[in-house]
Amino acid sequence: MNNFEEYCTKFVQSVGNKEGAISPVITGSAAFAYGDAQTAEGIFDGSVKKPLYSRMGNPTTARLESILAEMDGGVGAVATSSGMGATTLATMSLLSNGDEIISIGGLFGGTYSLFNETLKRFGITTHFFDVDELAEIKNAISDKTKIIFLESVGNPNMRLPNIKAIANIANEAGVALVVDNTITPLSISPLRLGADIVVYSTTKIISGNASALGGCAVFRAINDGDDKFKGERYSFLHKFIKGTKKMALIPNAKKRALRDFGMSANATASYQTLLGLETLPLRLPRIVQSVETIAKALDKAGLNINHPCLESHPHHERYKSDFSNGCGTLLTIDMGSTQAAYKFINSTKLATITANIGDSRTLALHMASTIYSDFDAATRKFLGITDGLIRISIGLENPQDIIADFINAAK
Ligand SMILES: *Cc1c(COP(=O)(O)O)cnc(C)c1O
């Protein structure tokens, strides 16, 4: 668990102030006064580093962005109003009409409908693959491919990608790799494995208590020498690379997405997210350990559990080698039928019934009748949504209490 220990000091020290108010200050202002005309000009051309307008950036949000950028080894980050805002920002800043996305694993319901329905309306085509279809993925890359999109852990199918192998494919082909790391902050560092952009829903384990909706995209630096973003595929980036060098992905995202779509974070949510972030390195290892204890105990008790810590899981070896800091807070239980799933959900006393994940409290939800109720049978099958599937997000409760409650609910 060294990954977590490393951040205990870093997070509490960077969130709190050493002088005056210890808790971060919430800058509630939407607009900022420039003082004089020359300063206004400088702020707009980027030569003066002062706040322009809160849609384009806010001091409280900037604090959160700098910590998340550092956490992931990025050159910078852009916080957003939600996790979907971060995915929209990252993708819409790289895509034009006629482009293609290759989407691997997962997939979170909102991301699936963004790709398969909404972006389709704007002339963007997405090809979907399972995490292990590496040859098919390679084959699907064309001149029109601008993004390979990957979830670090399949939600809710619990399949684990070989992130390094997929990053190698993306880098060889010169295509941007965007990783949704919502489920595994600190546990997995996608930029260090070769990805270009990481997106988060900070609503989940980063805040940890359902107090604030939020998201963030973290960007890698553009290399001094060769870089895939200097190629023809990304010619729209070249002016930013010329002007802002290694930072180029950030002004591109701010101008092409944040300014025009307006999925900006608000200062109060950024403040609440900072408070959550402070204790992330303590909460996550505790939960990851509980998830293993609970998955193994429920499996032993005869429940149909899907989690890669179990030897029967097809990615058990990958879990041990590549996910040594765990794979987040989720596990699923397949009760076999809708009726049995409803009975379980209505009998558990500890789990809160909700669509959220990564909370301090244990959460449960029947998948087919809620998040995936809009999807046809073939799509549900692709995403691993069976009739009896319940997604569980384990919280900070005593794992033995959760085991006892779940065994009782399954009777
Ligand atoms: C929740 C979630 C999102 C979307 O985040 P919101 O903050 O709800 O917009 C995206 N990806 C994953 C994996 C999620 O769990």
Side-chain angles (χ1 to χ4, degrees), residues 48-165:
V48 175
K49 303 282 175 227
K50 284 186 175 170
L52 189 154
Y53 182 70
S54 274
R55 175 156 37 78
M56 294 298 280
N58 169 286
T60 311
T61 300
R63 178 97 162 235
L64 173 67
E65 290 167 339
S66 73
I67 299 174
L68 288 176
E70 197 185 334
M71 170 178 100
D72 265 336
V75 72
V78 179
T80 53
S81 54
S82 69
M84 281 316 299
T87 301
T88 306
L89 170 114
T91 52
M92 293 302 264
S93 69
L94 296 178
L95 294 167
S96 299
N97 184 15
D99 287 343
E100 296 186 1
I101 302 173
I102 290 175
S103 171
I104 305 171
L107 200 59
F108 177 71
T111 309
Y112 184 81
S113 45
L114 172 71
F115 290 174
N116 198 47
E117 295 171 27
T118 303
L119 291 185
K120 199 184 263 176
R121 291 197 288 114
F122 295 92
I124 291 151
T125 307
T126 303
H127 306 282
F128 296 92
F129 296 97
D130 173 65
V131 289
D132 285 335
E133 294 179 309
L134 297 187
E136 290 86 345
I137 289 164
K138 246 186 198 166
N139 241 336
I141 299 173
S142 76
D143 288 347
K144 294 180 186 160
T145 313
K146 289 269 166 58
I147 290 173
I148 297 179
F149 188 94
L150 173 69
E151 274 184 14
S152 62
V153 177
N155 167 14
N157 72 15
M158 300 309 297
R159 290 174 67 73
L160 302 180
N162 182 341
I163 300 177
K164 247 189 198 153

Side-chain angles (χ1 to χ4, degrees), residues 82-85 108 111 151 155 180 182-183 201 203-204 213-214 357:
S82 69
M84 281 316 299
F108 177 71
T111 309
E151 274 184 14
N155 167 14
D180 183 341
T182 297
I183 298 182
S201 166
T203 317
K204 313 294 168 55
L213 194 68
I357 60 170

Side-chain angles (χ1 to χ4, degrees), residues 380-398:
R380 274 192 218 157
K381 184 153 190 272
F382 170 76
L383 296 172
I385 314 298
T386 51
D387 289 348
L389 194 73
I390 298 171
R391 183 183 69 192
I392 305 287
S393 178
I394 297 296
L396 292 171
E397 301 93 339
N398 183 326

Side-chain angles (χ1 to χ4, degrees), residues 21-37:
I22 290 171
S23 189
V25 172
I26 306 174
T27 305
S29 192
F32 301 89
Y34 309 137
D36 57 54

Side-chain angles (χ1 to χ4, degrees), residues 1-4 160 186-188 288 292 317-327:
M1 297 297 169
N2 287 336
N3 247 22
F4 300 118
L160 302 180
L186 295 186
S187 314
I188 296 288
V288 159
E292 283 205 10
E317 289 306 315
R318 191 171 289 161
Y319 178 74
K320 285 197 296 185
S321 59
D322 298 3
F323 289 75
S324 57
N325 295 296
C327 66

